[in-house]
DNA sequence: CTAGGGTTAG
């Protein structure tokens, strides 16, 4: 490619400057790697194309996609003149790099820096620049800053509204997202399919099927009934709510039926539709249904298999312990597996105690996503559950060396409109004495019913009795105990945890729901669990 | 001539 570019570019030297700049842009659009970018950058300087602002802007955009954020910034900073387009493209580059190429903290630091300049130049009131900033902060998990960027926009259009709605929906603030949707309508801004996609996603996160139905009705009235974006969001909401919050296998079959109905009505399913379907099947254990669809995807349904489809299938086999089949799928994938695939496989190895494969999978994850704390935690868990303390220590040291921070678990529960937060072994709550006394009582009652603490879940190399204690002061259990002592008998308890729910806490919640006759709804990092009469809606399958 | 928002796998 570079050689071809060079040849074609030297030909264009003869033509007018106008002609060579549009030709250069068409070459930029064929760029496929950082090396291509640098090569074209060289040509750009050689042909003095920096004199044409729109060419420089294209170069920044292309660098933003393929090259490092430092290199992109360098191009941006050496432009003779920067306009609104340049600033927008630079912020988009920051947002994109926040998505895993760089560490989020680094992005946030650099992003805030550029935000200051944007503000000083008064560009933050522009809808394009502002919306890019919303997206950047959202990607970095900074909801307040995203909101500030939104507020600064003078003429907020449908894209700005959708961007901020999405940030709230993706950060467990579905209620705020829905409020903003109403506000947007009151402001006279017309929602489009992308907006509805986000609004429906907010409903899914809230597990609010009722509001979801109402909004679905709105979309039909407005003529979005055939939009695959909106339809996929609706299928997703149904899949999420029915499989995770309300029921067992029968309801996942409802998703399968809904899917069939969709096809009957002439709505063509796309890759995303199938990802939702396969995922619902996987979580409900509908192996045959999933496998049949996966196998016939290309031939019968005309949809190319994606990374996500493979992820669902690896998960499906992995969770039932068919590690060989899962591995086979990874091997036959037509593209290199990403870190998510290996994380799923690693989770399955951990669940089924396959150290050898687990270690290999963990190494792949560490290589592909060195900034993520999850693989380190999973690997150290794996070693810990096998009692390999030296190996476990090595992983933890590596984590410190690389500056990877483990996210601290935190559970919240709402009582009388007030949100109470708990960390592990937290004693900061005003009613700590009562909470710990309740935990003691629960411990005895649960053991009488047959509860055995899963001490192999505890990370540290400590004595059995101490392990049991460490488990018992998990944030989930503290939040539950507080809920029990502070609400009237029979009140359902709603707990939200920022990470995946711990397996021992999951077991404990089942016992507690039975012993105390309470319904417990726990919202985990990406799932709902509904505990009732000693059982969980996930069927211990999550 | 160039710029901003979306669903899905964990």
């Amino acid at each position: 490619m570079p050689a071809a570019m060079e040849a074609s570019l030297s030909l264009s030297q003869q033509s007018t400057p106008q002609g060579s700049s549009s030709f250069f842009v068409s070459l930029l659009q064929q760029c496929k790697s950082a090396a291509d970018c640098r090569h074209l950058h060289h040509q750009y300087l050689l042909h003095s194309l920096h004199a044409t602002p729109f060419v420089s802007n294209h170069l920044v955009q292309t660098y933003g996609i393929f090259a490092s954020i430092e290199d992109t910034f360098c191009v941006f900073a050496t432009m003779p003149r920067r306009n609104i387009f340049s600033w927008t493209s630079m912020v988009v580059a920051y947002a994109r790099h926040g998505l895993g190429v760089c560490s989020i903290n680094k992005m946030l630091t650099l992003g805030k820096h550029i935000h200051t300049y944007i503000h000083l130049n008064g560009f933050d009131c522009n809808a394009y620049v502002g919306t890019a900033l919303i997206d950047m902060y959202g990607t970095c998990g900074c909801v307040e800053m995203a909101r500030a960027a939104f507020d600064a926009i003078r003429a907020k259009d449908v894209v700005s509204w959708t961007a901020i709605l999405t940030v709230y929906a993706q950060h467990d603030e579905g209620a705020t997202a829905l409020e903003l949707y109403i506000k947007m309508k009151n402001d006279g801004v017309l929602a489009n399919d992308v907006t509805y996609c986000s609004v429906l996603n907010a409903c899914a996160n809230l597990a609010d099927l009722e509001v979801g139905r109402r909004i679905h009705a709105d979309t039909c009235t407005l003529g979005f009934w055939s939009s695959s974006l909106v339809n996929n969001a609706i299928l997703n909401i149904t899949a999420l709510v029915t499989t995770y919050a309300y029921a067992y296998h029968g309801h996942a079959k409802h998703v399968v039926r809904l899917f069939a109905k969709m096809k009957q009505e002439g709505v063509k399913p796309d890759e995303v539709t199938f990802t939702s379907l396969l995922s619902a099947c996987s979580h409900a254990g509908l192996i045959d249904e999933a496998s049949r669809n996966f196998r016939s995807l290309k031939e019968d349904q005309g949809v190319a298999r994606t990374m996500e489809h493979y992820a669902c299938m690896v998960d499906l086999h992995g969770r039932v312990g068919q590690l060989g089949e899962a591995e086979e799928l990874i091997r036959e994938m037509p593209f290199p597996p990403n870190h998510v695939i290996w994380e799923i496989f690693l989770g399955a190895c951990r669940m089924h105690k396959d150290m050898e494969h687990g270690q290999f999978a963990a190494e792949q994850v560490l290589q592909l996503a060195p900034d993520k704390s999850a693989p380190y935690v999973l690997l150290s868990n794996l070693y810990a559950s096998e009692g390999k303390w030296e190996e476990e220590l090595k992983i933890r040291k590596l984590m410190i060396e690389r500056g990877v921070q483990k996210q601290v678990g935190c559970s919240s529960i709402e009582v009388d409109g007030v949100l109470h937060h708990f960390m592990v072994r937290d004693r900061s709550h005003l009613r700590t004495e009562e909470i710990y006394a309740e935990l003691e009582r629960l411990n005895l009652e649960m053991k009488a019913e047959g509860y055995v603490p899963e001490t192999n879940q505890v990370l540290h190399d400590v004595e059995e009795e101490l392990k049991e204690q460490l488990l018992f002061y998990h944030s989930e259990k503290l939040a539950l105990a507080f809920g029990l002592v502070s609400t009237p008998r029979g009140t359902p308890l709603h707990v939200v945890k920022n990470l995946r729910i711990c397996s021992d806490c999951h077991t404990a919640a089942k016992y507690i729901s039975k012993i105390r006759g309470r319904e417990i709804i726990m919202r985990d990092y990406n799932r709902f669990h509904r505990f009732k009469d000693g059982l969980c809606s996930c069927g211990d399958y999550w």
Side-chain angles (χ1 to χ4, degrees), chain A residues 63-87:
Chain A
Y63 256 86
I65 297 168
F66 298 104
S68 73
I69 195 70
E70 288 85 357
D71 289 351
T72 309
F73 185 75
C74 211
V75 178
F76 172 80
T78 52
M79 281 170 69
R81 282 187 59 211
R82 284 166 287 279
N83 57 21
I84 291 280
F85 292 87
S86 340
W87 287 94

Coordinates of all heavy atoms in Angstrom, one line a residue, chain A residues 63-87:
Chain A
Y63 N -5.3 9.8 11.9 CA -4.4 9.5 13.0 C -5.1 9.0 14.2 O -4.7 8.1 14.9 CB -3.6 10.7 13.3 CG -2.1 10.7 12.8 CD1 -1.8 11.1 11.5 CD2 -1.1 10.2 13.6 CE1 -0.5 11.0 11.0 CE2 0.2 10.1 13.1 CZ 0.5 10.6 11.8 OH 1.8 10.5 11.4
G64 N -6.2 9.7 14.5 CA -7.1 9.4 15.7 C -7.6 7.9 15.6 O -7.7 7.3 16.7
I65 N -7.8 7.4 14.4 CA -8.3 6.0 14.3 C -7.2 5.0 14.5 O -7.3 4.0 15.2 CB -9.0 5.8 13.0 CG1 -10.2 6.7 12.9 CG2 -9.4 4.4 12.8 CD1 -10.9 6.8 11.5
F66 N -6.0 5.3 13.8 CA -5.0 4.2 13.7 C -3.8 4.4 14.6 O -3.2 3.5 15.0 CB -4.5 4.0 12.3 CG -5.6 3.6 11.4 CD1 -6.2 4.5 10.5 CD2 -6.1 2.3 11.4 CE1 -7.2 4.1 9.7 CE2 -7.1 1.9 10.6 CZ -7.7 2.8 9.7
A67 N -3.4 5.7 14.9 CA -2.2 5.9 15.6 C -2.4 6.2 17.1 O -3.5 6.2 17.6 CB -1.5 7.1 15.0
S68 N -1.3 6.4 17.8 CA -1.4 6.6 19.3 C -2.0 8.0 19.5 O -1.9 8.9 18.6 CB 0.0 6.5 19.9 OG 0.7 7.6 19.5
I69 N -2.4 8.3 20.7 CA -3.0 9.6 21.0 C -1.9 10.7 21.0 O -2.2 11.8 20.6 CB -3.8 9.5 22.3 CG1 -4.7 10.8 22.5 CG2 -2.9 9.4 23.5 CD1 -5.8 10.8 21.5
E70 N -0.7 10.3 21.4 CA 0.4 11.2 21.4 C 0.7 11.7 19.9 O 0.9 12.9 19.7 CB 1.7 10.6 22.0 CG 1.7 10.4 23.5 CD 1.0 9.1 23.9 OE1 0.5 8.4 23.0 OE2 0.9 8.8 25.1
D71 N 0.8 10.7 19.0 CA 1.1 11.1 17.6 C -0.1 11.9 17.0 O 0.2 12.9 16.3 CB 1.2 9.8 16.8 CG 2.5 9.1 17.1 OD1 3.3 9.7 17.8 OD2 2.7 8.0 16.6
T72 N -1.3 11.6 17.4 CA -2.4 12.4 16.9 C -2.3 13.8 17.4 O -2.5 14.7 16.6 CB -3.8 11.7 17.4 OG1 -3.7 10.3 17.1 CG2 -5.0 12.4 16.7
F73 N -2.0 13.9 18.7 CA -1.9 15.3 19.2 C -0.8 16.1 18.5 O -0.9 17.3 18.3 CB -1.7 15.2 20.7 CG -1.7 16.6 21.4 CD1 -2.9 17.2 21.6 CD2 -0.5 17.2 21.7 CE1 -3.0 18.5 22.1 CE2 -0.6 18.5 22.3 CZ -1.8 19.1 22.5
C74 N 0.3 15.4 18.2 CA 1.4 16.0 17.5 C 0.9 16.7 16.2 O 1.3 17.8 15.9 CB 2.5 15.0 17.3 SG 4.1 15.7 17.4
V75 N 0.2 15.9 15.4 CA -0.3 16.4 14.2 C -1.2 17.6 14.4 O -1.1 18.7 13.8 CB -1.1 15.3 13.4 CG1 -1.7 15.9 12.1 CG2 -0.3 14.1 13.1
F76 N -2.1 17.5 15.4 CA -3.0 18.5 15.7 C -2.3 19.8 16.2 O -2.6 20.9 15.7 CB -3.9 18.0 16.9 CG -4.8 19.0 17.5 CD1 -6.0 19.4 16.9 CD2 -4.5 19.6 18.7 CE1 -6.9 20.3 17.4 CE2 -5.4 20.5 19.3 CZ -6.5 20.9 18.7
A77 N -1.3 19.6 17.0 CA -0.6 20.8 17.6 C 0.3 21.5 16.5 O 0.5 22.7 16.7 CB 0.3 20.3 18.7
T78 N 0.7 20.8 15.5 CA 1.6 21.4 14.5 C 0.8 22.0 13.3 O 1.4 22.5 12.4 CB 2.7 20.5 14.0 OG1 2.0 19.2 13.6 CG2 3.7 20.1 15.1
M79 N -0.5 21.9 13.4 CA -1.3 22.5 12.3 C -1.2 24.0 12.3 O -1.1 24.6 13.4 CB -2.8 22.2 12.5 CG -3.2 20.8 12.1 SD -4.9 20.4 12.7 CE -5.8 21.5 11.7
P80 N -1.1 24.6 11.2 CA -0.9 26.1 11.2 C -2.1 26.8 11.8 O -2.0 27.8 12.5 CB -0.7 26.5 9.7 CG -1.0 25.2 8.9 CD -1.0 24.1 9.8
R81 N -3.3 26.2 11.5 CA -4.5 26.8 12.0 C -5.5 25.8 12.4 O -5.7 24.8 11.7 CB -5.2 27.8 11.0 CG -4.4 29.1 10.9 CD -5.2 30.1 10.0 NE -6.5 30.3 10.5 CZ -7.6 30.6 9.7 NH1 -7.4 30.6 8.4 NH2 -8.8 30.8 10.3
R82 N -6.2 25.9 13.5 CA -7.2 25.0 14.0 C -8.5 25.6 14.0 O -8.7 26.7 14.4 CB -6.8 24.5 15.4 CG -5.7 23.5 15.4 CD -5.1 23.3 16.8 NE -4.4 24.4 17.3 CZ -3.1 24.7 17.0 NH1 -2.5 23.8 16.2 NH2 -2.5 25.8 17.4
N83 N -9.5 24.8 13.5 CA -10.9 25.3 13.5 C -11.8 24.4 14.3 O -11.3 23.4 14.9 CB -11.4 25.5 12.1 CG -11.3 24.3 11.2 OD1 -11.3 23.2 11.8 ND2 -11.4 24.4 9.9
I84 N -13.1 24.6 14.3 CA -14.0 23.8 15.1 C -13.9 22.3 14.7 O -14.0 21.4 15.5 CB -15.5 24.3 14.8 CG1 -15.7 25.7 15.5 CG2 -16.5 23.3 15.3 CD1 -15.9 25.6 17.0
F85 N -13.7 22.1 13.4 CA -13.6 20.7 12.9 C -12.4 20.0 13.5 O -12.5 18.9 14.0 CB -13.4 20.7 11.4 CG -14.6 21.1 10.6 CD1 -14.9 22.5 10.4 CD2 -15.6 20.2 10.2 CE1 -16.0 22.9 9.7 CE2 -16.7 20.6 9.5 CZ -16.9 22.0 9.2
S86 N -11.2 20.8 13.6 CA -10.0 20.2 14.2 C -10.2 19.8 15.6 O -9.8 18.7 16.1 CB -8.9 21.1 14.0 OG -9.1 22.1 13.1
W87 N -10.8 20.7 16.4 CA -11.0 20.5 17.8 C -12.0 19.3 18.0 O -11.7 18.4 18.9 CB -11.6 21.7 18.5 CG -10.6 22.8 18.7 CD1 -10.4 23.9 17.8 CD2 -9.6 22.9 19.7 NE1 -9.4 24.6 18.3 CE2 -8.9 24.1 19.4 CE3 -9.3 22.2 20.8 CZ2 -7.8 24.5 20.2 CZ3 -8.3 22.6 21.7 CH2 -7.6 23.8 21.3

